[in-house]
């Protein structure tokens, strides 16, 4: 908790371009269009610069610093331009550690500018005196201090350049308070975002072409970096022109539109269990993908795994790979497509695709019973049965939760790329309200729907106040099963009982939202879910639909991620 945001001592009156202008002008040159923050005097120069600039920059002030960083990270994800969070010194900065870690594991372009105790009194025990960069060294691409006024522009420029370059990720810069308030000419001109494209090795591409040419049951997995690297058009072209079955992961969702004939995410188990070649593009070979081990099921031999990444350091070091490629992902997709089309015989994967399509169709039919379930208490799937037909093609759907959001991952198949946000592999709850702010700003004309478990809701619900104050309408759906759904069953399995897994029954998160100035209602009848969602979408204000769900209707999973 941030205990105090007021520094000690007096400060000189700024006379000209102070350090805040130096930093903000660079951020703007790199495409930053909003600042997410929580007030603190160490960072007042950034506010002054935002207000007094020829084109003022919006300042979105939150109620708890993590929401500011989660929002800036989501801006980075949605716009593919580094988002900007500005945190006051000490506890303001350390409150941002978990969101920065999420950005690091998700490859999200993000710059965090932190305040810092004055350089002139460093070591004397001034308020919130803490050396921040060492804390961030392992979860950022770069963490440093802009030690003097002259350092601010070049150091912030470097931070934005690194954050926005492959492989993308967060950077951190803190600025001593006395230098931040200091004034003087800017001696650095930012070049803005870079456009360098890493050329993939032609021999590495040819090796993958050879593996695919000989494959009978290939699958391509499209991950977050396909979107982040602006490769969504090349990826869809590759999928459609080769006929390869595709599975979406993270922000790879929507690159192949929901319902597309080549999208076989709903036949994932069969596809990955019996494939002979699996090409994983733009996502790590972590617990979500069996650590890169595919095939070997139902009598099939182990599959050959191919890993394609946007930079060499992202290629898996632990998996047994048949081939790998690093480079600009559009160039990789186009190179693979050209290689396959130039072959003497074009691969025909239609029988394999047809087999998986049959499984997809059977799964959709089987799922329809859950999506329309009349069960009392409400089955979580019924919520998605009501939500899906109400989602526009350009909706942004945000998942913030465990078990409840697992159902979202199963049922929600976006129609367009860049329409899905989740915490990524780090699994950090509480990110949703920040992401919702970002989505409403980045996509002002789109539906924004935040799906929250009741556990996640308790971590950030106060920032509904931020949505209200800044007039950011969002539809929030809370799946309220009064438990930590991801932890309760595993503990029962391990010990025969559970503890610290239950929450208060039917907590009225809707009344909390109303007390903060938003709309809200509580739903216990499945027939009332649809009308409640209609009222939420029509309200034009932040609106929370709190739905009591069955604690025993848990998402069926085969792994705990460890």
């Amino acid at each position: 908790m941030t205990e105090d945001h007021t520094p000690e001592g007096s400060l000189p009156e700024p006379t000209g371009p102070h350090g805040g202008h130096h930093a903000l002008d660079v951020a703007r040159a790199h495409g930053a269009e909003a600042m997410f923050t929580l007030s603190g005097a160490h960072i007042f120069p950034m506010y002054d610069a935002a207000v007094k600039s020829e084109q003022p920059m919006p300042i979105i002030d939150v109620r708890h610093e993590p929401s500011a960083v989660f929002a800036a990270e989501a801006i980075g994800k949605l716009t593919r331009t580094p988002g900007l969070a500005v945190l006051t010194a000490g506890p303001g900065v350390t409150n941002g550690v978990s969101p920065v870690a999420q950005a690091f594991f998700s490859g999200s372009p993000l710059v965090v500018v932190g305040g810092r105790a004055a350089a002139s009194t460093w070591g004397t025990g001034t308020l919130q005196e803490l050396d921040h960069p060492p804390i961030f060294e392992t979860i950022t691409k770069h963490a440093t201090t802009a030690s003097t006024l002259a350092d601010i522009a070049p150091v912030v420029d470097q931070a934005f350049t690194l954050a926005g370059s492959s492989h993308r990720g967060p950077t951190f810069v803190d600025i001593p308070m006395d230098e931040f308030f200091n004034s003087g000419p800017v001696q650095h001109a930012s070049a803005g975002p870079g456009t360098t494209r890493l050329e993939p090795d032609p021999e590495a591409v040819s090796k993958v072409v050879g593996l695919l040419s000989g494959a009978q049951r290939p699958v391509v997995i499209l991950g977050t970096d396909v979107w982040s690297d602006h490769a969504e058009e090349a990826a869809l072209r590759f999928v459609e022109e080769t006929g390869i079955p595709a599975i979406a992961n993270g922000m790879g969702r929507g690159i192949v539109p929901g319902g597309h004939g080549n999208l076989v995410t709903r036949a994932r188990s069969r596809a990955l269990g019996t494939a002979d070649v699996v090409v994983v593009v733009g996502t790590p070979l972590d617990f979500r993908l069996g650590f890169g081990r595919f095939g070997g099921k139902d009598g099939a031999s182990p599959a050959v795994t191919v890993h394609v990444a946007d930079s060499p350091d992202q290629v898996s070091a632990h998996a047994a790979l048949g081939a790998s490629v690093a480079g600009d992902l559009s160039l990789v997709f186009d190179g693979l497509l050209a290689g396959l089309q130039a072959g003497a015989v074009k691969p025909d994967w239609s029988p394999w695709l047809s087999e998986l399509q049959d499984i997809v169709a059977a799964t959709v039919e089987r799922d329809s019973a859950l999506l329309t379930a009349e069960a009392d208490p409400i089955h979580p799937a019924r919520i998605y049965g009501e939500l899906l037909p109400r989602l526009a093609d350009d909706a942004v759907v945000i998942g913030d939760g465990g078990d409840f959001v697992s159902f979202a991952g199963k049922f929600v198949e976006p129609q367009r790329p860049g329409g899905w946000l989740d915490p990524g592999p780090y699994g950090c709850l509480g990110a949703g309200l920040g992401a919702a702010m970002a989505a409403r700003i980045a996509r002002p004309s789109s539906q924004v729907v935040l799906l929250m478990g009741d556990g996640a809701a308790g971590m950030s619900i106060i920032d509904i106040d931020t949505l209200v104050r800044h007039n950011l309408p969002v539809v929030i759906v809370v799946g309220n099963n009064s438990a930590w759904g991801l932890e309760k069953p595993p503990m029962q399995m391990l010990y025969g009982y559970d503890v610290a897994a239950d929450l208060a029954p039917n907590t009225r998160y809707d009344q909390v939202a109303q007390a903060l100035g938003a709309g809200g209602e509580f739903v216990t009848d499945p027939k009332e879910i649809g009308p409640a969602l209609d009222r939420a979408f029509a309200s034009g204000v932040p609106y929370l639909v709190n739905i009591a769900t069955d604690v025993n209707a848990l998402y069926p999973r085969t792994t705990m991620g460890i």
Side-chain angles (χ1 to χ4, degrees), residues 378-554:
I378 295 169
H379 193 290
R382 175 62 184 268
I383 298 172
Y384 296 102
E386 297 291 344
L387 176 63
L388 293 177
R390 291 171 166 83
L391 289 178
D393 284 357
D394 66 344
V396 179
V397 178
I398 302 159
D400 183 13
D403 203 72
F404 178 59
V405 175
S406 295
F407 284 101
K410 177 179 178 64
F411 296 124
V412 178
E413 291 189 336
Q415 294 300 307
R416 299 183 186 178
W420 172 269
L421 289 173
D422 62 29
Y426 193 54
C428 196
L429 297 186
L433 264 297
M437 300 170 205
R440 174 49 64 220
I441 291 169
R443 306 280 175 81
S445 62
S446 298
Q447 290 175 331
V448 177
V449 180
L450 169 58
L451 306 167
M452 304 182 83
D454 48 340
M459 293 186 174
S460 61
I461 197 168
I462 189 63
D463 268 304
I464 289 177
D465 170 76
T466 304
L467 297 178
V468 171
R469 285 184 293 108
H470 291 279
N471 189 28
L472 302 172
V474 170
V475 173
I476 304 168
V477 181
V478 175
N480 187 351
N481 68 356
S482 304
W484 294 101
L486 281 183
E487 282 65 44
K488 192 176 180 74
M491 192 170 186
Q492 290 175 341
M493 179 188 70
L494 290 169
Y495 299 114
Y497 73 96
D498 65 81
V499 66
D502 292 312
L503 301 170
N506 294 334
T507 297
R508 296 297 300 273
Y509 301 103
D510 54 300
Q511 292 181 346
V512 175
Q514 290 172 340
L516 294 171
E521 56 185 284
F522 186 45
V523 177
T524 58
D525 182 343
K527 294 184 177 64
E528 290 302 315
I529 298 172
L533 292 174
D534 289 336
R535 288 187 287 272
F537 281 118
S539 69
V541 300
Y543 200 106
L544 189 150
V545 182
N546 182 21
I547 305 174
T549 63
D550 185 358
V551 69
N552 295 311
L554 298 170

